[in-house]
Amino acid sequence: MSQDELKNLTIHEARKMLDSRKISSKELTNIFLERIQKVDQSTNAYITVTTEFALQQADIADEKIRIGEQKPLTGIPMQLKDNMSTAGIKTTCASKMLENYIPSYNCTVADRLFSEGAILLGKGNLDEFAMGSSTENSYYASTANPWDLKRVPGGSSGGPAAAVSADECLFSLGSDTGGSIRQPAAFCGVVGMKPTYGVVSRFGLIAFASSLDQIGPITKNVQDSAIVLNAISGYDPKDSTSIKNVSQDYISNLKSNISGMKLGVPKEYFPDGMEEGVKKSVFQAIEQFKKLGVEIKEVSLPHTDYALAVYYIIAPSEAAANLARYDGVKYGFSSKGDLEDIFDDIETTRQGGFGDEVKRRIMIGTYALSAGYYDAYYLKAQKIRTIIREEFNEVFKNVDALITPTSPTVAFKLGEVIDPLQMYLNDVFTQPANIAGLPSISIPCGISEGLPVGVQLMSSPMNDGVVLNLANAFEQSTDWHDLKPEIFI
Ligand code: GLN
């Protein structure tokens, strides 16, 4: 196999080659490090590349394989989004505020992946503090979409999605507060899964909006997504919202026969004005599910229209509270004032350390939480959140899962969307799953204007396996996931 073919491997295929000693983890790691060298100047999918650490980890992995102690991810090169704490390795959140921040501990997902023997190639680019839909809000410049370098990769996990799409790693982890795994996965033609809230530990994930944030895999196919989810999911006493008894084996339960399952098509997710190419691809995907023996039902979720408003009250409110910790005193950027007035110092630190979008969120959140407005905004949003959740519960009494577009458009041009409100609209189809804590996946389902289209599947909480099964069956009966961005083939 040539170097070029090796970088195209899936985790599953790489595992077989590692176990049969056709390749060592060190060789595989070097292939990806070279690949990063070659293409990352075009994509900017990495903020930090951890060459030395990766090679050390590869040696340890090769030893584990030699003595037969390998696990599914031993020796597999990966990337982590740069809002996941890694001990001794810079974790910037794509912010000037954390430009020189080196955590002293690992987030739980990194701990779990390292103990399986996965290899860290580096940290992926994102919108500052995961706020955005295009990765243009990164302090370290924007990431480019490997399908068209003049276009955005989506966001906020634009680095992870672009890195997987351009074969700069075998898989990556993203975080998803309102769509940040699924929308970039759709824009870059890869698979992105947001698990049920609480299935994957958030310990050590730098918080954006704690009741919505969830970590999940970005991979080349659905089987790989299940492999990674197996490794990172499960109860963690360090995260008080972590769910006990998540002892699901997503791999052994992965089926390709989905005949007889029921899929709901919520009419509110196909509004007028949606891109024709996206609509067409999603309708084709629905037809494909019919061929696979799935019963399709039209359903209605009438409060969908309020989801965006609810999200943009709750997410900024939680962000304002979470980001209050960056004061220039404990860690991170400091304006190094004269300390005559601590409040002046905090103000200049926050003024200089945060970018515009982060400041916008802090202001919205602070306003929504302030004494005179709390009931009108925050409390009201929480009440509607409950209604949205209950509406999903009702619908899931009649269908196993829902099918919708992931995003109303394909990847847009860098610099094209400057109005924040227009940018917020990117996540109208993905945010409801965060509001209700549902498992949801985006998989490639077509091409429009030469760019990938993603279809989203959602199910009820703890039915991550249902979502994976449906996605897997669809993927096995189509070849959209095999398409690669031409410039990087
Ligand atoms: N685009 C959404 C936002 O800007 C979602 C971000 C995310 O999921 N992290 O808030």
Side-chain angles (χ1 to χ4, degrees), residues 81 130-133 155-156 175-181 208 311-312 361 424 427 431:
K81 187 177 179 180
M131 297 172 189
S133 303
S156 65
S175 65
D176 191 311
T177 307
S180 277
I181 290 176
F208 165 8
Y311 176 86
Y312 277 102
R361 306 285 175 112
Y424 296 170
D427 299 306
Q431 281 161 357

Side-chain angles (χ1 to χ4, degrees), residues 2-303:
S2 71
Q3 286 224 345
D4 250 13
E5 287 166 320
L6 286 166
K7 72 172 175 29
N8 290 337
L9 294 175
T10 62
I11 299 175
H12 179 69
E13 291 161 349
R15 174 82 273 131
K16 281 202 217 144
M17 294 200 56
L18 288 165
D19 289 349
S20 60
R21 314 283 203 280
K22 291 210 174 76
I23 192 165
S24 69
S25 171
K26 191 145 193 180
E27 284 162 337
L28 197 59
T29 303
N30 270 317
I31 286 168
F32 282 99
L33 289 169
E34 277 167 33
R35 176 79 181 159
I36 295 168
Q37 278 256 309
K38 197 164 134 203
V39 306
D40 207 63
Q41 58 223 35
S42 308
T43 58
N44 195 31
Y46 281 81
I47 290 179
T48 303
V49 179
T50 48
T51 306
E52 233 173 88
F53 182 60
L55 293 171
Q56 276 166 16
Q57 282 187 311
D59 278 337
I60 299 169
D62 279 329
E63 181 56 18
K64 276 193 188 163
I65 296 168
R66 195 186 66 77
I67 58 175
E69 281 185 2
Q70 69 270 43
K71 300 222 170 90
L73 292 172
T74 309
I76 301 289
M78 62 162 181
Q79 185 207 54
L80 295 175
K81 187 177 179 180
D82 206 21
N83 58 353
M84 298 177 199
S85 304
T86 39
I89 296 163
K90 233 173 31 165
T91 301
T92 67
C93 251
S95 179
K96 181 174 176 187
M97 192 58 94
L98 293 176
E99 190 174 7
N100 299 310
Y101 172 56
I102 299 180
S104 56
Y105 62 97
N106 281 324
C107 59
T108 294
V109 291
D111 249 351
R112 291 194 177 168
L113 290 166
F114 292 162
S115 68
E116 273 227 6
I119 314 295
L120 183 69
L121 295 165
K123 307 293 294 286
N125 201 2
L126 65 152
D127 286 296
E128 184 178 6
F129 283 99
M131 297 172 189
S133 303
S134 65
T135 318
E136 292 169 292
N137 296 335
S138 170
Y139 177 63
Y140 301 94
S142 137
T143 297
N145 190 318
W147 288 77
D148 176 352
L149 297 174
K150 292 198 178 64
R151 288 177 188 266
V152 303
S156 65
S157 311
V164 173
S165 163
D167 294 321
E168 293 182 63
C169 59
L170 266 175
F171 75 92
S172 184
L173 290 190
S175 65
D176 191 311
T177 307
S180 277
I181 290 176
R182 292 160 286 157
Q183 182 256 20
F187 278 18
C188 293
V190 294
V191 173
M193 163 101 184
K194 182 200 89 70
T196 298
Y197 182 79
V199 158
V200 178
S201 168
R202 289 181 297 108
F203 178 76
L205 168 70
I206 295 178
F208 165 8
S210 313
S211 78
L212 302 159
D213 296 343
Q214 188 60 191
I215 293 175
I218 298 188
T219 53
K220 294 182 186 175
N221 67 16
V222 177
Q223 189 182 27
D224 282 3
S225 189
I227 295 173
V228 177
L229 194 56
N230 263 12
I232 61 173
S233 60
Y235 178 63
D236 177 13
K238 291 182 194 151
D239 173 358
S240 60
T241 58
S242 163
I243 296 173
K244 290 200 170 116
N245 308 320
V246 186
S247 50
Q248 295 190 34
D249 182 345
Y250 302 100
I251 280 293
S252 335
N253 294 334
L254 207 57
K255 285 197 278 249
S256 43
N257 183 359
I258 53 170
S259 176
M261 288 181 83
K262 293 193 186 83
L263 207 46
V265 183
K267 58 172 189 266
E268 292 80 6
Y269 285 69
F270 296 85
D272 293 338
M274 210 174 110
E275 227 168 77
E276 269 315 305
V278 172
K279 207 183 225 172
K280 204 173 132 213
S281 298
V282 176
F283 280 133
Q284 273 169 3
I286 294 171
E287 287 308 310
Q288 185 61 27
F289 275 109
K290 275 192 200 158
K291 283 191 202 142
L292 293 167
V294 171
E295 190 184 327
I296 305 289
K297 286 184 162 192
E298 190 180 299
V299 296
S300 176
L301 293 154
H303 283 79

